[in-house]
Amino acid sequence: MSGSDTATTIEIALAVERLAIMFSQYRPEAVRTFGVSSQQAIILAAIYDEPGCGVKRITERTGMFQPVVSRSLGSLVRLSLLERRRSSTDARATELHLTEAGRRAVNEIRDEWRGTLQKACASLTEEQAAALMPSLSLVLTVAQQLVKEA
């Protein structure tokens, strides 16, 4: 890592790890309402953003392993939040689509998440919020690299 010494790199790694742990522990009420795990909520959101995608695409988008995604999909189908359909262009492929209940779940979860973040950020000054954005972009870039390398 050019420009950073080892001690700084370790501090960054620990901070990102703490951040990941905290986010993984946050479970919106809407997630509990729909009876899904945080991982399943992430999978639902990936399908919401890319209707008709397959398991491989979800693993790429989320960084989750294929067996984890496959098990979660089975649960989401049983909860009537998701349906599998044969592809109209490739009979061997299965497309994933949210049901109306699945779309409602994603919308409620995202609304709650955004509302919670807005409340948490309300105490920041305009200058602090503006200063935070470039750092968040860098953290996101690092996280995306980690997911690609996993």
Side-chain angles (χ1 to χ4, degrees):
M1 180 178 203
S2 64
S4 294
D5 63 21
T6 303
T8 302
T9 303
I10 292 170
E11 286 180 48
I12 291 169
L14 291 172
V16 170
E17 178 183 0
R18 285 192 301 271
L19 187 61
I21 290 167
M22 283 189 239
F23 278 127
S24 71
Q25 292 172 343
Y26 175 70
R27 193 160 177 234
E29 181 62 35
V31 169
R32 293 188 292 274
T33 298
F34 286 95
V36 298
S37 69
S38 296
Q39 279 186 325
Q40 290 169 329
I42 292 167
I43 291 169
L44 287 172
I47 297 167
Y48 184 97
D49 293 339
E50 196 173 326
C53 64
V55 172
K56 184 174 188 245
R57 183 67 181 132
I58 294 171
T59 62
E60 292 168 353
R61 287 185 58 125
T62 65
M64 293 179 200
F65 294 110
Q66 187 272 331
V68 172
V69 171
S70 293
R71 276 193 305 274
S72 292
L73 293 176
S75 297
L76 294 169
V77 168
R78 284 189 294 283
L79 290 168
S80 300
L81 298 173
L82 174 71
E83 56 189 22
R84 293 180 169 119
R85 298 181 197 157
R86 284 279 163 220
S87 169
S88 58
T89 58
D90 181 354
R92 298 168 296 167
T94 301
E95 296 178 348
L96 302 168
H97 295 273
L98 298 182
T99 62
E100 184 56 41
R103 286 187 292 279
R104 189 173 62 253
V106 171
N107 285 328
E108 288 185 25
I109 291 166
R110 282 183 168 168
D111 286 348
E112 183 180 342
W113 172 250
R114 288 175 183 148
T116 301
L117 282 175
Q118 285 174 334
K119 286 179 193 169
C121 293
S123 63
L124 297 177
T125 66
E126 196 171 314
E127 293 80 21
Q128 288 172 324
L132 183 58
M133 287 308 300
S135 297
L136 285 176
S137 293
L138 288 173
V139 170
L140 183 58
T141 299
V142 169
Q144 288 169 334
Q145 287 175 320
L146 289 174
V147 169
K148 283 181 186 176
E149 293 172 10

